[in-house]
């Protein structure tokens, strides 16, 4: 297992460029924060006096709330701005919106945006830390971190050699991309599975396997992660119907039997129950879906804490 | 200013006449002449070109001058000054203006602006279809009468093959070449870069080569069947080149028809990997593809499948390019950097000779529009360029004559510099 390395980053815009040691640093920090989640007094003073702006240009429930809770637990003041309630609907550019938020003395921006690369773009414009909460089909780093964190809890801290399969819409998924970077850095034997239209063979260039057949893809897997089928976008072009998708690629009881007996079932949510995942499996003892949600708070506390400490490092306080 | 000009002691390269020698170049009025009499020489302005290349002014078949309608990006005045700074003396401007150049009145408007403000030769194109909508033929005969040198929907590929067939058939009646941007829009809807490893990595929607290849094949087949002079713009795909080779052979056997293609400096210089930082300066269509495609484009020039180099100069304002990648417009500036970039990636890199490069930028594009340009032949228009091959220069915003600065070469140092450009014997650009 890789040793943790000191955190020196101002922004977290993706997993691709992180070192394995930096992932371990986040996990270790998250472990210590997780221990505080069940205390009666859950607040820590780490970001007291800081103002964090949650700039969510796309709809979100768990990610937005998890970031809000994480920031609040660290004693930061949080303001959430949603896309349809911002000046962007009046035609203001993202640049000007961000410059205004900075001018209002925010200390950090968390951004969710439909355009890939928008978090990086923002990080190049403003001087305060930017945390990516999902940019188009590019990256969703905190989701991948909480996924890997949850795997570590169930499969052991050293994930090298563990077999993990991600099943579903890989092509349009930022979660899949961030997980590819995170899990391959941690030494996981990773397989991407699903229909050929949603899982192009070229993903193999990133050090993963690609399979369009479920039995070999799921055989002896330690964990399977389902991804939401974005049927509002793809039904007409990428697969014939939800019914066909479910019959060919949905995870049901029979197919779950291909997994290792103690394998865990994961999903970043929201779930299309009965489409990519059988509803009973989603609620079964093998499902860790709600644990993922809880771990999302600890991971995001860790990320906010580490990126927030960048400011202190600059001032020589830390 | 004297009616006579002597460009003294330069290395004259005129590929159209297979000429490469250190000699003097003579100009009388607006024409190249073989010699000046002693009395004319006494009156002549002398320009010392020692150590410089003296070659025909470059000809660009693919320039967006944005006038009328988008004059915050470029005007005919600023665009032609940029062209002159890049060593061009003839540019063919695209008709995707606002309004589009789909009628004789708009062409006249453009010609008037050229007359008033252009510093070099500008040849307009007209639309193939009304409003560039691909649904109804534009008045191609009237456009030809008004003075267009080619017809094209400039940046928009006609999707309906029946309309394209009829447009091509009709244009052929006037012996007008048809320029086309080859793209099957059903395969590129919402796409912003080449489909491949990097689009997967960046999470950006990718355009497959098939979108280009399919329309190249369609156009090649229509050219063969109609005898049209079809010119395929900014080819970027290696497999499209294979289709062009196959078609050119068939057409050659049939005689009569002519299928030509162009490549841009940016497709010769960059690949999709350059989009790694989401820099919108690299957002172009057809997209920057793979290293294999880039190498194939170079080979396509060398084996003659690709006839010429064209800039696809597409100016956009800084505000428009300064956005999330998905929302920025396609296109980059190209006129002022074209020669230096091509010299770097073709000649300095050892792929081609300087004479070949100058040929691809002069008489070869001129032949596609059937104009006697791009040559230093006696009696031809005195359009020529002086180049210092030893110089290097930094690309800066301040250095651009174009109103727009959307260049991925900003901040870079390029080799070889255009030092002077003459159009019809008049100095229209001087480095100092």
């Amino acid at each position: 297992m890789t040793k943790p390395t000191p955190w020196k980053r101002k922004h977290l815009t993706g997993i691709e460029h992180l070192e394995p040691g930096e992932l371990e640093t986040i996990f270790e920090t998250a472990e210590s924060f997780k221990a505080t989640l069940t205390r009666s007094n859950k607040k820590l003073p780490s970001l007291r006096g800081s103002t964090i702006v949650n700039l969510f240009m796309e709809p979100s429930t768990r990610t937005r709330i998890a970031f809000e809770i994480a920031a609040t637990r660290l004693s930061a003041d949080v303001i959430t701005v949603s896309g349809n309630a911002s000046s962007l609907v009046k035609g203001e550019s993202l640049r000007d919106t961000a410059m205004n938020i900075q001018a209002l003395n925010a200390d950090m921006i968390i951004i969710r945006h439909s355009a890939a690369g928008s978090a990086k773009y923002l990080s190049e414009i403003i001087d305060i830390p930017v945390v990516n909460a999902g940019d188009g089909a590019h990256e969703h780093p905190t989701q991948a971190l909480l996924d890997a964190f949850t795997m570590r809890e169930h499969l052991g801290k050293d994930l090298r050699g563990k077999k993990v399969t991600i099943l579903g819409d890989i092509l349009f998924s930022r979660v899949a991309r961030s997980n590819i970077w995170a899990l391959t850095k941690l030494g996981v034997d990773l397989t991407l599975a699903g229909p050929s239209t949603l899982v192009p063979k070229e993903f193999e260039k990133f050090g993963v396997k690609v399979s369009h057949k479920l039995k070999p893809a799921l055989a002896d897997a330690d964990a399977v992660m389902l991804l939401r089928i974005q049927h509002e976008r793809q039904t007409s072009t990428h697969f014939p119907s939800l019914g066909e998708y479910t019959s060919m690629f949905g995870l049901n009881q029979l197919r779950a039997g291909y997994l290792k007996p103690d394998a865990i079932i994961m999903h970043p949510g929201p779930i299309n129950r009965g489409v990519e995942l059988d509803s009973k499996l989603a609620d079964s003892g093998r499902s860790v879906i709600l644990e993922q949600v809880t771990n999302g708070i600890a991971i995001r506390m860790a990320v906010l804490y580490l990126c927030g400490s960048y400011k202190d490092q600059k001032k020589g306080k830390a | 200013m004297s009616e006579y000009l002597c460009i003294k002691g330069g290395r004259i390269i005129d590929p159209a006449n297979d000429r490469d020698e250190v000699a003097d170049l003579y100009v009388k009025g607006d024409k190249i002449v073989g010699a000046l009499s002693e009395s004319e020489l006494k009156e002549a302005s002398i320009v010392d070109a020692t150590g410089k290349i003296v070659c025909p002014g470059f000809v660009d078949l693919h320039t967006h001058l944005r006038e009328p309608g988008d004059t915050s990006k470029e005007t005919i005045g600023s665009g032609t000054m940029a062209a002159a700074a890049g060593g061009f003396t003839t540019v063919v401007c695209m008709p995707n203006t606002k309004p589009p150049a789909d009628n004789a009145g708009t062409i006249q408007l453009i010609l008037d602006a050229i007359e008033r403000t252009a510093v070099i030769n500008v040849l307009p194109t007209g639309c193939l279809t009304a409003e560039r909508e691909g649904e109804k033929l534009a008045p191609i005969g009237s456009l030809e009468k008004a003075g267009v040198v080619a017809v094209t929907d400039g940046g928009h590929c006609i999707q309906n093959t029946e309309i394209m067939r009829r447009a091509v058939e009709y244009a052929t009646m006037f012996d007008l070449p048809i320029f086309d941007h080859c793209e099957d829009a059903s395969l590129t809807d919402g796409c912003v870069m080449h489909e491949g490893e990097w689009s997967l990595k960046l999470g950006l929607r990718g355009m497959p080569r098939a979108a280009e290849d399919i329309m190249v094949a369609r156009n090649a087949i229509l050219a063969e069947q109609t005898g049209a002079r079809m010119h395929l713009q900014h080819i970027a795909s290696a497999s499209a080149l294979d289709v062009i080779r196959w078609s050119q052979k068939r057409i050659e056997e049939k005689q009569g028809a002519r299928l030509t293609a162009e490549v841009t400096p940016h497709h010769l210089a960059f690949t999709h990997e350059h989009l790694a930082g989401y820099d919108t300066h690299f957002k172009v269509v057809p997209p920057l593809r793979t290293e294999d495609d880039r190498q194939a484009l170079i080979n396509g020039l060398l084996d003659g499948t690709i006839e010429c180099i064209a800039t696809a100069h597409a100016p956009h304002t800084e505000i428009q390019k300064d956005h999330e990648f998905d929302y920025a417009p396609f296109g980059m500036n190209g006129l002022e950097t074209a020669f230096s970039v091509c010299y770097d990636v073709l000649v300095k890199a050892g792929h081609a000779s300087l004479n070949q490069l100058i040929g691809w930028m002069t008489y070869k594009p001129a032949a596609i529009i059937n104009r006697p340009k791009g040559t230093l032949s006696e009696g031809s228009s005195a359009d020529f360029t002086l180049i210092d091959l030893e110089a290097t220069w930094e690309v800066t915003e301040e250095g651009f004559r174009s109103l727009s600065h959307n260049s991925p070469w900003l901040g870079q140092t390029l080799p070889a510099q255009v030092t002077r450009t003459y159009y019809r014997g008049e100095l229209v650009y001087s480095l100092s």
Side-chain angles (χ1 to χ4, degrees):
Chain A
M1 204 175 76
T2 312
K3 286 184 179 170
T5 51
W7 184 264
K8 291 178 179 170
R9 292 182 190 269
K10 180 178 181 179
H11 312 287
L12 180 68
T13 57
I15 301 288
E16 184 189 352
H17 301 293
L18 295 188
E19 299 295 328
E22 292 177 293
L23 296 178
E24 292 298 335
T25 301
I26 296 170
F27 295 142
E28 278 204 351
T29 312
E31 274 170 18
S32 62
F33 283 132
K34 188 168 180 181
T36 70
L37 293 182
T38 49
R39 297 194 320 204
S40 55
N41 180 3
K42 299 183 178 66
K43 280 219 173 190
L44 298 167
S46 312
L47 296 180
R48 182 179 292 155
S50 293
T51 303
I52 294 178
V53 173
N54 239 349
L55 185 58
F56 270 59
M57 314 312 301
E58 269 192 337
S60 166
T61 306
R62 73 208 72 212
T63 304
R64 179 176 56 79
I65 295 173
F67 267 115
E68 282 178 7
I69 291 174
T72 309
R73 295 274 163 85
L74 295 170
S75 301
D77 297 315
V78 190
I79 294 161
T80 295
V81 183
S82 60
N84 58 10
S86 76
S87 288
L88 286 150
V89 294
K90 297 179 189 171
E92 185 173 67
S93 68
L94 180 59
R95 169 185 285 278
D96 284 339
T97 301
M99 297 290 278
N100 278 293
I101 290 171
Q102 182 172 266
L104 289 163
N105 278 326
D107 296 291
M108 197 182 307
I109 292 184
I110 300 161
I111 181 169
R112 156 74 60 97
H113 197 295
S114 61
S118 51
K120 182 176 184 298
Y121 172 71
L122 200 64
S123 73
E124 289 163 357
I125 294 171
I126 58 176
D127 295 329
I128 56 178
V130 172
V131 174
N132 185 3
D135 60 327
H138 179 221
E139 285 230 37
H140 192 349
T142 56
Q143 180 67 45
L145 290 165
L146 73 90
D147 291 338
F149 187 77
T150 307
M151 284 179 206
R152 286 166 96 252
E153 288 184 331
H154 284 268
L155 309 179
K157 283 191 176 178
D158 189 351
L159 293 176
R160 279 180 296 183
K162 299 293 180 188
K163 183 175 177 187
V164 176
T165 298
I166 305 178
L167 169 59
D169 170 8
I170 312 290
L171 182 61
F172 294 102
S173 173
R174 52 193 170 216
V175 175
R177 281 173 180 76
S178 284
N179 265 296
I180 289 169
W181 304 130
L183 296 177
T184 54
K185 283 174 202 289
L186 296 171
V188 165
D189 174 7
L190 184 59
T191 300
L192 309 178
S196 54
T197 46
L198 293 176
V199 192
K201 275 276 180 197
E202 274 185 303
F203 272 113
E204 286 175 347
K205 290 181 178 164
F206 307 143
V208 301
K209 295 175 187 137
V210 167
S211 175
H212 308 306
K213 293 192 169 126
L214 279 198
K215 198 165 185 178
L218 296 175
D220 299 323
D222 295 287
V224 59
M225 184 185 302
L226 290 316
L227 294 179
R228 187 172 78 91
I229 292 305
Q230 299 177 52
H231 53 84
E232 69 277 10
R233 186 152 54 165
Q234 295 138 10
T235 307
S236 61
T237 52
H238 287 72
F239 55 88
S241 68
L242 286 180
E244 165 120 341
Y245 182 85
T246 304
S247 72
M248 300 296 292
F249 296 100
L251 188 71
N252 54 25
Q253 298 286 354
L254 173 71
R255 289 169 182 154
Y258 304 149
L259 303 165
K260 275 189 180 168
D262 54 351
I264 55 172
I265 295 170
M266 309 178 75
H267 196 306
I271 308 170
N272 293 313
R273 284 178 180 265
V275 179
E276 68 266 7
L277 178 60
D278 180 275
S279 192
K280 281 186 181 162
L281 279 176
D283 299 328
S284 72
R286 306 172 80 176
S287 164
V288 297
I289 294 170
L290 293 175
E291 287 178 46
Q292 289 174 263
V293 177
T294 305
N295 284 337
I297 298 172
I299 282 290
R300 285 167 181 129
M301 286 174 78
V303 167
L304 297 181
Y305 171 77
L306 291 168
C307 290
S309 65
Y310 170 85
K311 187 174 55 179
D312 294 334
Q313 285 178 32
K314 259 180 50 175
K315 288 178 183 168
K317 290 181 185 171
Chain B
M1 183 165 171
S2 169
E3 190 192 349
Y4 309 108
L5 188 59
C6 173
I7 309 296
K8 205 162 181 54
R11 179 180 164 195
I12 297 176
I13 299 181
D14 182 14
N17 292 306
D18 205 16
R19 184 179 178 197
D20 183 351
E21 61 180 337
V22 175
D24 299 341
L25 183 77
Y26 302 108
V27 174
K28 186 173 182 179
D30 61 358
K31 295 280 193 290
I32 304 276
V33 292
L36 294 174
S37 66
E38 273 189 32
S39 61
E40 289 169 340
L41 261 179
K42 277 183 190 164
E43 285 182 43
S45 300
I46 310 291
V47 176
D48 181 9
T50 309
K52 305 283 193 306
I53 301 296
V54 181
C55 67
F58 303 136
V59 177
D60 187 22
L61 293 185
H62 194 162
T63 304
H64 296 273
L65 291 178
R66 307 296 190 206
E67 187 176 353
D70 262 326
T71 49
S72 59
K73 297 179 179 185
E74 197 77 284
T75 64
I76 288 168
S78 67
T80 55
M81 283 193 281
F88 291 89
T89 49
T90 293
V91 297
V92 173
C93 63
M94 293 298 107
N96 50 326
T97 48
K98 294 175 184 171
D102 65 354
N103 63 81
T106 304
I107 296 297
Q108 191 55 54
L109 186 77
I110 292 168
L111 289 171
D112 290 346
I114 291 167
E115 179 68 27
R116 276 185 286 109
T117 61
V119 300
I120 59 159
N121 184 32
V122 181
L123 303 170
T125 56
C127 297
L128 270 170
T129 67
E131 301 280 335
R132 298 174 58 243
E133 288 177 345
E135 291 170 2
K136 185 175 178 294
L137 295 190
I140 294 169
S142 306
L143 290 168
E144 194 269 338
K145 265 191 181 172
V148 304
V149 294
V151 275
T152 172
D153 271 358
H156 178 252
C157 177
I158 296 172
Q159 300 297 297
N160 182 321
T161 300
E162 163 64 2
I163 299 288
M164 185 62 176
R165 176 202 163 173
R166 298 304 176 195
V168 167
E169 280 180 349
Y170 194 81
T172 303
M173 187 164 60
F174 305 100
D175 198 27
L176 279 173
I178 295 106
F179 290 8
D180 201 33
H181 160 106
C182 303
E183 180 183 349
D184 182 328
S186 68
L187 290 171
T188 59
D189 186 29
C191 299
V192 292
M193 69 175 291
H194 172 68
E195 180 182 275
E197 182 186 348
W198 279 93
S199 67
L200 288 182
K201 194 176 270 192
L202 296 169
L204 294 171
R205 293 187 73 140
M207 305 177 193
R209 280 189 200 83
E212 181 175 341
D213 301 350
I214 286 167
M215 284 306 184
V216 163
R218 179 197 71 170
N219 289 343
I221 289 164
L222 289 176
E224 182 188 338
Q225 295 189 353
T226 60
R229 289 162 56 201
M230 179 79 73
H231 176 67
L232 308 173
Q233 296 180 296
H234 47 203
I235 292 299
S237 148
S239 38
L241 279 179
D242 292 337
V243 175
I244 295 169
R245 272 188 199 99
W246 177 80
S247 303
Q248 283 174 334
K249 193 165 179 293
R250 285 170 62 87
I251 289 170
E252 202 176 291
E253 283 164 6
K254 279 194 169 184
Q255 304 284 321
R258 187 146 188 256
L259 181 69
T260 54
E262 71 187 31
V263 65
T264 72
H266 50 270
H267 287 108
L268 293 169
F270 300 128
T271 68
H272 59 163
E273 199 170 341
H274 285 89
L275 276 72
Y278 293 97
D279 183 345
T280 59
H281 285 133
F282 292 99
K283 185 177 175 182
V284 290
V285 65
L288 303 170
R289 300 196 191 273
T290 66
E291 179 60 18
D292 286 346
D293 291 288
R294 193 182 78 85
Q295 291 295 337
L297 294 173
I298 294 170
N299 290 332
L301 270 171
L302 293 171
D303 71 15
T305 310
I306 299 174
E307 188 76 7
C308 68
I309 293 167
T311 68
H313 175 77
H316 292 292
T317 63
E318 191 177 344
I319 292 169
Q320 286 174 312
K321 277 286 190 182
D322 184 12
H323 271 289
E324 301 89 311
F325 198 89
D326 279 343
Y327 306 151
F330 293 98
M332 65 171 75
N333 263 22
L335 287 169
E336 287 160 270
T337 48
F339 179 80
S340 293
V341 168
C342 292
Y343 180 72
D344 197 26
V345 300
L346 294 173
V347 182
K348 280 193 84 180
H351 297 295
S353 69
L354 178 62
N355 293 45
Q356 282 176 303
L357 171 58
I358 292 171
W360 292 324
M361 295 182 71
T362 55
Y363 79 100
K364 290 195 168 191
I368 291 168
I369 50 170
N370 204 19
R371 289 292 189 281
K373 293 286 183 182
T375 171
L376 299 177
S377 301
E378 281 183 49
S380 61
S381 177
D383 306 347
F384 57 94
T385 294
L386 272 60
I387 302 166
D388 183 352
L389 289 185
E390 303 305 317
T392 56
W393 59 290
E394 191 185 348
V395 184
T396 62
E397 286 190 14
E398 301 73 36
F400 275 124
R401 269 72 177 172
S402 170
L403 287 184
S404 295
H405 311 133
N406 53 312
S407 166
W409 288 285
L410 276 177
Q412 288 193 31
T413 300
L414 292 176
Q417 193 165 27
V418 171
T419 57
R420 283 180 171 229
T421 303
Y422 288 83
Y423 171 58
R424 300 180 69 181
E426 298 284 337
L427 182 67
V428 289
Y429 169 75
S430 176
L431 178 62
S432 56

